[in-house]
Structure formats: C-alpha cells, structure tokens
Amino acid sequence: MKKPEWLEKEKLYNILFESDTPSGRAFDIILMVMISLSILISFIETIPSLAHTFKFALEILEYVVTIFFTVEYIARIYCSPRPKDYVLSFFGIIDLMATLPPYLSYFLPNARYMLMLRTFRFIRIFRIFKLFSLINEGYVLMYSLRKSLNKIAVYFLFVLILVTCLGTLMYMVESGHPETKFTDLATSVYWAIVTMTTVGYGDITPVTPIGRLLSAFVMLLGYTIIAVPTGIVTATIIDETQEKPKDGRCPRCGENIRDNDRYCSHCGEKL
C-alpha cells in the first residue's frame, strides 16, 4: 500500500531539516562534505596549472555538486510545511545563492565565484553537533554590536574627519617638493588612512623633515585610537553578561540557565 503524501513529506523533512535522527545527521555530514568539495573546486580552478591538468575531472565534479544542491533546494521547498517562510529565511536565501551561481555563469562568467557563499552553509554544523552554548555567545555578540552601532558610527565619522584633516595638512607640507608623491588631496587622504590604521603599504612616503615628523605623529595616533571600537563593544558585552537571571530558570522552557547567559542554551529564548 502506498504511503500518504504527507508521510513522505514528513520523512523527507526529518532528513533535510532535522539532525536528531541517524538519517538526518548522515545527510548533514554529506552536505558538509559537498560544500567543502565545492569550495575546493573553486580554489583549484583559479590555479592555472592544476585547472588545466584536472580540467575534465573538475567539470564532472562541478556538475555533480550543482545537481546535488539543486535537488536539495527543490526538496527543501517541497517538504517544508511553509515553503514561503523557508524561501525567505536566512538559510533559504543562502541555499538559493549557493545554487544559482553555476547557472548564472553561462551569462556572467565571474558569477561562479559566488560559490564561496556556500561557506555560510557551514553554520549548519552548529545544529549537527548541538553547540548551543556557542550560539548563546553569538547572540550576545550580535546584540552588543547592534547596541554599540550608534557609538561606532560617531567614532567612524570622527576618524573620517581626522584623516581628511591630516591628509590635507600633509598635502600642504609636501606638495611643494619636486620629488613628492603627495600630488593631490585624494592621494594624501589615502596615505593618512593607510598610516593611521597601521597598515603602512609604503607606496607613498614623505620626503621633507616636517612631513616625516607629521607621519610619525599619525602612526602613534593610530595606535591610540584603533582600539576604541573594540573597547566600545567590549564594554557593552560586559554590561550584558553582568545582568543575571532572577530565578535561574528559562521563562519559556523552564530549564536551568547559567549566570552569564542572555539567551537560553536550550530553546534560544531571550532572558
């Protein structure tokens, strides 16, 4: 007797969306292997010597991986109780973007390198190995970043004004020298950004004594202000983790929670 369609969909759903069953866990591991293989193929194809030697094998593997991800994406839509919600979800969008590049490459050759977006699918490994404690820390970090966004924006604006002023000042000091590389304000501001962030490419350097003195000042200034955004986010994280739950239990699932948790490690509820 043929099984009802809803039972087939439920079985397929448990394999594709759940990892509590042996079949679901096995599929997720196969999925990780296919993602790793896809990314490895993309790297090899950018190395001319290897790409030419293994051209036929790489093409076959790419077809196999593309068919796998296409069938998987269609199957997820088919068995999902709410297909629209899955398609518009974070994982749904990532799954689609991981499937489309091989097809888009026929019209836009460089689009195939969007395959690197498949790396985001490795987030599913949190579900496979039940790393809920790490997910809790991730929630705290994301919340702290959102809460610090306004302060970081003000800081970024301040730095933008500062590098513009320093670049202009360096242009005024260096522009009169015949061997100068500070030929315009845009180049001078670029130098100020590179120097203040302590990157120091060395493609543009001052030649006058005053210019070198100013350059040394900008380098030291960079060390003093580069840690400010980290300090802002760290202070917010400390404020969040110091707030302790009142009764030690999650209000949603009733499970015990750790003192520093801001989200339940069992159900994800905000505490």
Side-chain angles (χ1 to χ4, degrees), residues 115-130:
L115 290 172
M116 291 301 159
L117 291 171
R118 288 177 180 172
T119 307
F120 283 99
R121 304 191 78 191
F122 275 117
I123 297 175
R124 295 181 189 273
I125 200 170
F126 282 84
R127 186 186 68 189
I128 298 176
F129 296 107
K130 303 297 184 183

Side-chain angles (χ1 to χ4, degrees), residues 139-243:
Y139 280 134
V140 173
L141 179 60
M142 291 301 297
Y143 178 78
S144 299
L145 287 173
R146 287 199 303 268
K147 194 171 181 180
S148 306
L149 191 59
N150 290 337
K151 297 177 183 177
I152 294 175
V154 173
Y155 168 79
F156 177 79
L157 180 60
F158 166 75
V159 172
L160 184 63
I161 295 172
L162 183 60
V163 294
T164 302
C165 294
L166 291 172
T168 303
L169 183 59
M170 181 60 81
Y171 175 73
M172 293 170 61
V173 171
E174 290 282 314
S175 59
H177 198 280
E179 298 179 2
T180 185
K181 294 182 180 180
F182 294 85
T183 56
D184 53 72
L185 283 175
T187 301
S188 301
V189 172
Y190 160 77
W191 166 86
I193 294 173
V194 170
T195 304
M196 181 170 290
T197 55
T198 69
V199 175
Y201 291 125
D203 53 341
I204 303 173
T205 55
V207 293
T208 65
I210 298 179
R212 291 173 180 173
L213 181 62
L214 178 60
S215 179
F217 170 76
V218 174
M219 293 175 195
L220 295 175
L221 182 63
Y223 277 111
T224 61
I225 69 173
I226 199 170
V228 172
T230 305
I232 293 173
V233 177
T234 301
T236 306
I237 292 176
I238 292 174
D239 290 341
E240 289 300 310
T241 54
Q242 283 180 344
E243 297 180 18

